[in-house]
Amino acid sequence: MSETPNTPAPSSGTADPAPLGLAGFAMTTFILSVVNTNMISEKGSGDVVLGLALFYGGIAQFLAGMWEYRRGNTFGATAFSSFGAFWLSYWGIVHWSTGADAHKTLGLYLFAWFIFTGYMTVAALRTNGAVLAVFALLTLTFLLLAIGAWQNAATPPATFTEIGGWVGLVTALAAWYASFAAVANETHKKQILPTWPR
């Protein structure tokens, strides 16, 4: 039986999961970075961050990474799966924290992510300028946050944590832009916003 003219043809491929991964990363990073800058110091702010870290930055971004594997994109799969796992692990660390003095270990955790993000930035040289900017800024953010954790000042946030928060805000904006450009360009089937291919 033939299809009627109003029946859409089945999709032959998988939609690009990168805009979802970038958006999940951007929003979660944005909210946490606002807290890190000490612009918002209310007690309940951590709950909002944890909710986003679990569902949007964590699960949604991890799924984007899995879909990148299906598309054969090693860079996207590694990046989104890893940063999805970062947010899930962040949720676990904060959620199950006993309040013990673990600033040295937290600093080491953030420094390890600085190393990972640094070599992913080298790989990002083969993507586009928008994605490269996200990774370069994120590398710096992780380094600043690691130093801030080693400073061991929680209230108010340590100086390097505050600086890392401001760089994190710029990182989030860059990720939102990369997500927006990918969605807009794909939806309109032409370049609406530049991504500066390399």
Side-chain angles (χ1 to χ4, degrees), residues 107-196:
L108 183 62
Y109 167 80
L110 293 167
F111 189 78
W113 281 103
F114 158 73
I115 294 171
F116 170 77
T117 310
Y119 75 69
M120 289 298 287
T121 301
V122 175
L125 290 169
R126 296 289 296 182
T127 59
N128 62 54
V131 171
L132 177 59
V134 173
F135 277 84
L137 288 164
L138 183 57
T139 301
L140 179 57
T141 300
F142 274 128
L143 179 60
L144 291 167
L145 293 177
I147 295 170
W150 286 326
Q151 281 183 314
N152 190 28
T155 307
T159 301
F160 276 92
T161 299
E162 286 194 24
I163 297 170
W166 288 107
V167 178
L169 286 175
V170 179
T171 304
L173 293 175
W176 257 327
Y177 176 84
S179 174
F180 177 35
V183 171
N185 294 346
E186 171 63 25
T187 303
H188 291 275
K189 305 301 181 190
K190 63 180 180 180
Q191 182 172 296
I192 301 295
L193 295 168
T195 56
W196 304 280

Side-chain angles (χ1 to χ4, degrees), residues 5-32:
N6 293 330
T7 304
S11 175
S12 60
T14 304
D16 185 1
L20 170 63
L22 287 163
F25 170 81
M27 188 179 295
T28 314
T29 301
F30 178 81
I31 299 298
L32 178 59

Side-chain angles (χ1 to χ4, degrees), residues 72-115:
N73 182 353
T74 301
F75 177 84
T78 304
F80 291 131
S81 299
S82 295
F83 289 117
F86 163 78
W87 285 115
L88 290 170
S89 67
Y90 177 84
W91 177 86
I93 290 166
V94 176
H95 184 72
W96 287 305
S97 174
T98 61
D101 183 13
H103 67 278
K104 292 180 182 177
T105 307
L106 181 60
L108 183 62
Y109 167 80
L110 293 167
F111 189 78
W113 281 103
F114 158 73
I115 294 171

Side-chain angles (χ1 to χ4, degrees), residues 30-102:
F30 178 81
I31 299 298
L32 178 59
S33 294
V34 168
V35 174
N36 283 339
T37 62
N38 206 31
M39 284 192 286
I40 295 178
S41 57
E42 62 189 19
K43 292 181 180 179
S45 61
D47 296 336
V48 176
V49 173
L50 288 182
L52 279 170
L54 177 58
F55 291 102
Y56 201 26
I59 294 172
Q61 192 174 183
F62 189 82
L63 287 172
M66 295 298 101
W67 289 316
E68 288 283 21
Y69 274 111
R70 182 176 177 83
R71 287 167 57 93
N73 182 353
T74 301
F75 177 84
T78 304
F80 291 131
S81 299
S82 295
F83 289 117
F86 163 78
W87 285 115
L88 290 170
S89 67
Y90 177 84
W91 177 86
I93 290 166
V94 176
H95 184 72
W96 287 305
S97 174
T98 61
D101 183 13

